[in-house]
Amino acid sequence: MTDPSSTSKLSRRSILVGVAAGPALTVAAGAVVAQTATTAAQQAQTALRDAKGTKLVLLGTSGGPGPGRTRKMTSHVMLSNGAAYVLDCGIGVIDQYALTGIQFPALRSIFITHHHADHNIEYGPLLVVGWINGMHLDVRAFGPPPLKQMTEDFMRAYKTTVDFWAEDFKMKPLVEVDVKEVSEAGPVMQDDNVKVSAVIVEHPPVKPALGYRFDFKDRSIVFSGDTAPSEAIAKLAKGADVLVHEAMHVPALESYMRAEIAKGRPVRFEDYLAHMKADHTPVEDVGRIAQDAGVKTLVLSHLVPGIDGITDDAWRSLAAKYFMGDIIVGKDLMVV
Ligand SMILES: [Zn+2]
Ligand SMILES: [Zn+2]
């Protein structure tokens, strides 16, 4: 685990570098962002260091492929008994993973829910950057087809790059990754820490799109993935400790999209809304599903729209209409 004081030293240094290099106004804003990020990272590191039992870290909590936001694209890591399990690989997964202080040799398995870019675009880079930082060569990957072919194609594309470092540092090159494709509901894998199972969710036209359940010895964690309101998720999550569910705030999404279209985004409001409603779950329905499943804690993540300015209360109150348990509005690097 990384010593938090070294991270804070580094960040102070980057802030100072920023002060020397950039115009005053940008620097002030950048410094605030850097400080906030450091604080969240330090909090995550402390929480993981003091943790007893399995922990989940929300690495990125924004839904969709919007870059440059306060919230990163979707990714998570679970840490149990010193082993790390990553679920989804939106842009930001590598940096956010590193900020938790979890070391790359701890990474055992990677799970992909479906092949939208906000869930898989940094999967290949995670393998290569993970490898150079000590990830073991027997790391495994799980996800819908064609994950095997995608992994092989990526490794082929990066063979030269991998080989340069392998030669330079006398390292065994990362040549292939053990991939298991998941195309139906049922058991996915089991090791000494966890038993993983999956269901098919509703996310047209993406087929199959998966939800996952992780049964650790001390704790069960379920991920909806991206889905319209799903019976399968309510069933999968029966009695789970934690349900991490995607959530859409419809009124906020409507005003966000109207503003985007006014700025020239080439999409019709009705078409966009119809797609979102067929593919995603309004936060009220998330509350209903969590209540149905009888989970202890509901974590709202993959927030749509994943922009600043929607208060925690605005998210929570809609889910709380139907769900009586604990509701957590996800934030990047939050440890649950
Ligand atoms: Zn998504
Ligand atoms: Zn999706």
Side-chain angles (χ1 to χ4, degrees):
M1 201 157 295
T2 310
D3 170 14
S5 65
S6 70
T7 313
S8 82
K9 261 180 232 146
L10 243 180
S11 300
R12 269 199 297 277
R13 204 185 61 190
S14 350
I15 292 165
L16 289 175
V17 170
V19 170
L25 205 70
T26 325
V27 169
V32 171
V33 170
Q35 260 167 355
T36 316
T38 305
T39 312
Q42 282 175 337
Q43 281 171 356
Q45 289 168 20
T46 308
L48 292 178
R49 200 173 38 233
D50 299 343
K52 292 187 182 48
T54 302
K55 289 289 171 194
L56 159 70
V57 193
L58 310 175
L59 298 178
T61 55
S62 173
R69 290 177 175 164
T70 310
R71 295 175 187 278
K72 307 277 185 213
M73 289 176 209
T74 305
S75 61
H76 318 75
V77 63
M78 288 157 277
L79 185 67
S80 186
N81 200 20
Y85 303 84
V86 164
L87 184 123
D88 280 341
C89 296
I91 287 178
V93 64
I94 300 171
D95 276 343
Q96 297 291 89
Y97 179 101
L99 285 174
T100 65
I102 302 172
Q103 302 295 303
F104 282 94
L107 181 54
R108 282 262 188 106
S109 298
I110 302 168
F111 299 83
I112 302 290
T113 58
H114 65 291
H115 293 304
H116 268 151
D118 55 322
H119 298 254
N120 73 5
I121 197 82
E122 213 172 280
Y123 161 69
L126 172 63
L127 295 174
V128 174
V129 176
W131 162 73
I132 198 70
N133 283 285
M135 182 188 80
H136 294 167
L137 294 175
D138 62 357
V139 71
R140 301 180 73 193
F142 302 85
L147 187 63
K148 217 168 170 15
Q149 175 233 313
M150 290 164 79
T151 309
E152 286 166 8
D153 287 352
F154 186 87
M155 296 313 301
R156 196 173 303 123
Y158 274 80
K159 184 181 182 308
T160 311
T161 298
V162 166
D163 286 349
F164 282 140
W165 272 338
E167 189 188 331
D168 248 2
F169 301 125
K170 309 279 175 278
M171 288 171 71
K172 225 175 159 195
L174 179 68
V175 176
E176 54 183 6
V177 173
D178 180 3
V179 175
K180 186 186 168 196
E181 290 184 343
V182 183
S183 41
E184 54 187 32
V188 171
M189 66 86 97
Q190 182 164 10
D191 67 12
D192 44 342
N193 294 310
V194 67
K195 201 172 84 184
V196 183
S197 46
V199 291
I200 306 291
V201 294
E202 288 294 313
H203 195 47
V206 182
K207 273 188 174 85
L210 305 172
Y212 285 99
R213 177 172 177 134
F214 291 75
D215 283 294
F216 295 95
K217 289 187 184 104
D218 57 337
R219 205 175 190 205
S220 47
I221 305 173
V222 176
F223 296 88
S224 68
D226 282 12
T227 183
S230 161
E231 267 299 309
I233 288 296
K235 265 197 190 152
L236 183 73
K238 268 277 177 267
D241 295 303
V242 179
L243 169 61
V244 182
H245 205 297
E246 71 131 276
M248 176 168 67
H249 195 292
V250 176
L253 180 64
E254 287 179 354
S255 36
Y256 171 71
M257 257 340 267
R258 283 191 204 283
E260 287 290 294
I261 288 165
K263 278 191 265 174
R265 188 149 153 185
V267 61
R268 280 184 55 231
F269 181 80
E270 290 73 22
D271 293 345
Y272 179 82
L273 254 276
H275 154 78
M276 292 308 283
K277 284 182 176 165
D279 270 53
H280 295 285
T281 307
V283 63
E284 296 93 326
D285 291 329
V286 175
R288 256 188 260 265
I289 289 161
Q291 186 64 24
D292 236 32
V295 299
K296 290 198 189 86
T297 302
L298 169 63
V299 178
L300 303 175
S301 192
H302 192 282
L303 301 178
V304 172
I307 51 173
D308 295 333
I310 308 172
T311 63
D312 285 1
D313 219 43
W315 286 107
R316 191 181 286 113
S317 59
L318 293 179
K321 277 193 201 169
Y322 303 101
F323 181 60
M324 304 306 143
D326 290 338
I327 300 172
I328 294 174
V329 181
K331 294 206 170 46
D332 290 15
L333 294 175
M334 186 184 255
V335 178
V336 179

